[in-house]
Amino acid sequence: MAEAEYLKLARRMQEDLSQGRTGSTSTPVQLILADGTVHAYEGRLDAVERNIEATTGTLALQIKFPNPDRLVRPGQYGRVRAVIDTRKDALLVPQRSVQELQNLYNVAVVGADNKVSFRTVKVGPREGSLWVIEEGLQPGDRVVVEGLQRLREGATVNPKPAPAERAAGEKKSAEAAPAGAAKAEVK
């Protein structure tokens, strides 16, 4: 586990303890087996190594999983997945739609009149190829994901829905596109 991920997990565990939730009820961990299936039983964090591996910046964790069927054997490899942070009603935009210049982040938004305006946004963590937007956008805003290089403030565009991008670990859905993603063709 990367050091930054560990810090998020440790803070969440401290919050759980302060609210009276013990380790047996908090932060469930899933085991993804070598064939891509998920182990039927959730695990719990049991121990954390003291040292961070200097060359990789990672930390070893020991997680205990019930194994009544004896499916998991010593020496097998797998991956683990845990929810470290949950953000209700988070706004996610494709990372490619966010422009950064001198630590300021901007997105192009298409208004009701199909004119482009650039907005400064506050970005949060990344989830795969998506970025959480903490400030600067509202639900329903149409964000340009293609054609950004040719756009100028006030340009009139012909927006078209863009295919949906999924967050890391999200299952494929039947939705064709998120409500706010658009490709822009300059008129």
Side-chain angles (χ1 to χ4, degrees):
M1 170 179 271
E3 184 178 358
E5 291 169 338
Y6 165 73
L7 291 170
K8 284 182 191 175
L9 182 61
R11 287 187 182 111
R12 179 173 172 182
M13 290 173 65
Q14 286 175 342
E15 184 179 311
D16 288 348
L17 288 173
S18 71
Q19 294 178 1
R21 295 187 299 250
T22 62
S24 63
T25 60
S26 65
T27 317
V29 179
Q30 291 181 321
L31 174 62
I32 296 119
L33 301 170
D35 65 356
T37 61
V38 177
H39 185 52
Y41 303 95
E42 291 182 337
R44 302 284 176 206
L45 183 63
D46 184 52
V48 178
E49 286 287 325
R50 291 174 32 131
N51 296 327
I52 294 173
E53 173 61 43
T55 58
T56 61
T58 59
L59 187 64
L61 305 176
Q62 181 177 329
I63 301 167
K64 284 191 176 180
F65 290 89
N67 192 23
D69 304 330
R70 301 197 190 288
L71 179 64
V72 181
R73 308 301 301 164
Q76 277 184 297
Y77 286 90
R79 295 173 304 165
V80 294
R81 178 172 51 205
V83 176
I84 295 174
D85 189 17
T86 303
R87 294 181 184 225
K88 186 175 168 70
D89 298 326
L91 291 174
L92 298 168
V93 298
Q95 191 271 330
R96 62 193 167 121
S97 69
V98 179
Q99 298 176 326
E100 178 187 8
L101 182 63
Q102 296 181 350
N103 243 7
L104 290 175
Y105 298 90
N106 294 291
V107 295
V109 178
V110 179
D113 58 355
N114 288 343
K115 293 198 179 216
V116 173
S117 64
F118 287 90
R119 291 197 199 156
T120 300
V121 294
K122 180 180 176 188
V123 296
R126 288 188 198 165
E127 282 299 319
S129 65
L130 300 175
W131 222 331
V132 174
I133 302 297
E134 296 180 341
E135 292 177 11
L137 287 179
Q138 299 298 318
D141 284 345
R142 295 183 295 171
V143 175
V144 177
V145 296
E146 286 185 21
L148 290 166
Q149 299 79 10
R150 297 180 304 231
L151 290 180
R152 300 286 177 256
E153 183 76 27
T156 302
V157 296
N158 181 21
K160 297 178 182 176
E165 293 185 31
R166 294 188 314 267
E170 185 181 9
K171 291 186 170 58
K172 199 172 194 175
S173 71
E175 295 178 36
K183 296 179 184 178
E185 293 179 1
V186 179
K187 289 184 178 179

